[in-house]
Amino acid sequence: MTGSDDYVDLDGTRVHYERHEGPADGPAFVLVHGLGGSLDNWGAVAPMLAARGTVLSLDLGGFGLTQVHPRDAAVPANLALLQRFTAKMVGRPAIVAGNSMGGLLAAQLTARDPGAVAGAVLIDPAIPLVFRGYPHRDVVRDFAMTTLPGLSRIAAKRLAASTVRDEVERTIRMVTTRYDDIDPELIERHVRLSERRMSQRGAGASFEVAGRSLLTMLGHRKRYYSVVGRIAKPVLLLHGDHDKLINVRSARALAKRNPSWTYVEGEGIGHTPMFDFPDWTAGQILTWLDARPGLG
């Protein structure tokens, strides 16, 4: 499941990444995780994509094992980091795939630096709310408790009263629909990473900064749609109809605004299909590439 992991220095930031080697004549993939995630989120999908080309997944600033000052965990700072990473580690147009906040970053990179991106895959990306397209109430509660200063202290007390494994399992259950189908080793990787991050200074603050930054960006609806509307590269939008975080109605609205995109809705699928539907996720990406020989 795991590839080779290493670090690369990007203007003073030591970025943790993982590489899965693939055919040299195939496309290069760059995989971007979401808020609170890590490159481990792609542990089941990356090897499947590596059958087609080399795959690079990275820990964004403030997440996984990429440590930064909390202010550099904000979305704009991580967009700049992703741009530098793609330029240095790939050096040619890549297929950039992102989930949740990572989907927003993939879309922004494609609009901002089209020369770096051959095509974008947005998997349950962060999208502004639409009418009747609200997150599940449990998601709203948990997000508020971890991003609002007053409530974050309550969340810290809850975390102290539970085990790391409890918190990892609770989070993964919220973003998936078939927990029992997830590779146990993938869950263990997340538990080990969470235990390791407990000793990192500023990890909680990075989440808060990134979360508030993300909400601010999604609050500027016109700016959001203006940016994604500038994308001139092929886009595959995948979204689960059981996503508790980003309601599927938002994805349908985004697809309607961008009719040139390919939109695929996953029945019975939640926010992170890379966990419990890795075959479906990789299959959709490779099928999309097969229909566009110039991309891969």
Side-chain angles (χ1 to χ4, degrees):
M1 177 187 292
T2 59
S4 59
D5 75 306
D6 203 347
Y7 290 86
V8 59
D9 184 87
L10 298 178
D11 297 334
T13 299
R14 194 163 177 259
V15 177
H16 180 237
Y17 72 94
E18 187 171 87
R19 178 191 293 271
H20 290 259
E21 294 292 350
D25 59 350
F29 298 91
V30 175
L31 309 182
V32 192
H33 66 78
L35 181 67
S38 72
L39 61 79
D40 287 338
N41 292 176
W42 300 97
V45 169
M48 299 180 189
L49 297 180
R52 183 67 59 88
T54 296
V55 179
L56 294 165
S57 50
L58 74 154
D59 286 336
L60 294 170
F63 299 95
L65 299 180
T66 300
Q67 298 187 52
V68 298
H69 189 282
R71 65 170 175 269
D72 293 326
V75 172
N78 265 315
L79 174 59
L81 183 146
L82 175 61
Q83 188 174 21
R84 296 196 303 272
F85 179 86
T86 304
K88 183 166 185 174
M89 300 302 296
V90 182
R92 60 187 173 101
I95 304 298
V96 181
N99 170 243
S100 194
M101 182 181 75
L104 170 64
L105 290 170
Q108 289 186 325
L109 179 65
T110 307
R112 173 176 174 171
D113 189 1
V117 182
V121 180
L122 315 180
I123 304 175
D124 293 75
I127 311 171
L129 296 178
V130 297
F131 178 63
R132 297 179 65 189
Y134 310 120
H136 191 278
R137 62 180 179 275
D138 291 345
V139 172
V140 174
R141 179 199 63 213
D142 282 11
F143 196 79
M145 290 181 68
T146 51
T147 56
L148 299 179
L151 294 179
S152 62
R153 289 191 292 270
I154 299 176
K157 291 180 180 179
R158 184 189 71 184
L159 181 61
S162 62
T163 67
V164 171
R165 182 176 298 277
D166 287 341
E167 287 299 309
V168 168
E169 291 182 352
R170 186 187 65 81
T171 300
I172 295 178
R173 287 182 187 277
M174 181 175 291
V175 297
T176 61
T177 58
R178 299 194 313 186
Y179 181 86
D180 291 341
D181 290 339
I182 300 172
D183 184 342
E185 174 55 26
L186 186 59
I187 296 174
E188 290 302 317
R189 285 184 66 176
H190 283 79
V191 171
R192 291 194 296 269
L193 175 62
S194 295
E195 290 173 340
R196 187 171 178 179
R197 278 180 58 81
M198 289 182 69
S199 63
Q200 292 182 4
R201 295 180 59 185
S206 292
F207 184 95
E208 292 180 27
V209 168
R212 290 195 293 270
S213 171
L214 180 60
L215 285 179
T216 298
M217 285 201 158
L218 296 181
H220 293 286
R221 297 169 54 86
K222 290 184 179 179
R223 186 182 305 169
Y224 176 99
Y225 287 124
S226 174
V227 170
V228 299
R230 295 201 301 268
I231 293 175
K233 299 289 185 173
V235 175
L236 171 62
L237 173 59
L238 303 177
H239 211 93
D241 67 357
H242 279 44
D243 189 334
K244 292 181 179 179
L245 281 74
I246 309 296
N247 193 292
V248 70
R249 290 187 176 93
S250 292
R252 292 169 184 166
L254 182 60
K256 187 175 181 179
R257 283 175 173 267
N258 298 277
S260 66
W261 295 7
T262 300
Y263 176 56
V264 181
E265 197 168 291
E267 183 178 357
I269 293 177
H271 185 61
T272 54
M274 310 91 69
F275 283 96
D276 48 343
F277 291 88
D279 295 301
W280 179 86
T281 304
Q284 291 294 337
I285 295 172
L286 295 178
T287 297
W288 176 70
L289 287 176
D290 288 339
R292 293 159 183 78
L295 293 183

